[in-house]
């Protein structure tokens, strides 16, 4: 909610991360069945892309991409 308010141009990302809130909460509580390995890998890649977008929009140097094994 906060992301969409302060950066409306990132509204799609806000919706994307909000859609995964239940799975994220289950994973944070220790569930090993909240997401599949593939879903976790996809989320890491998506979060990495989001971070790069934010860094670019703030005029920062982009981080090295996270490599999922």
């Amino acid at each position: 909610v906060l992301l969409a308010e302060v950066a409306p141009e990132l509204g799609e990302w806000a919706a994307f991360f909000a859609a995964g809130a239940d799975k994220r909460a289950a994973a944070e509580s220790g569930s090993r069945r909240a997401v599949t390995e593939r879903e976790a890998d996809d989320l890491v890649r998506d979060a990495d892309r989001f971070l790069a977008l934010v860094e670019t929009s703030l005029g920062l140097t982009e981080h090295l991409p996270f490599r999922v094994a």
Side-chain angles (χ1 to χ4, degrees):
V1 173
L2 183 59
L3 177 60
E5 289 178 14
V6 298
E9 68 278 13
L10 298 175
E12 287 184 41
W13 279 105
F16 171 77
F17 287 120
D22 291 338
K23 287 184 178 186
R24 183 175 57 251
E28 287 173 350
S29 71
S31 172
R32 295 186 179 265
R33 297 181 181 167
V35 295
T36 66
E37 186 175 333
R38 171 67 190 261
E39 289 172 317
D41 288 347
D42 289 347
L43 183 56
V44 168
R45 278 189 289 275
D46 290 336
D48 194 61
R49 282 192 289 262
F50 172 74
L51 179 57
L53 176 66
V54 171
E55 289 167 337
T56 300
S57 71
L58 295 174
L60 302 173
T61 301
E62 284 188 37
H63 67 286
L64 294 175
F66 185 78
R67 302 252 189 255
V68 177

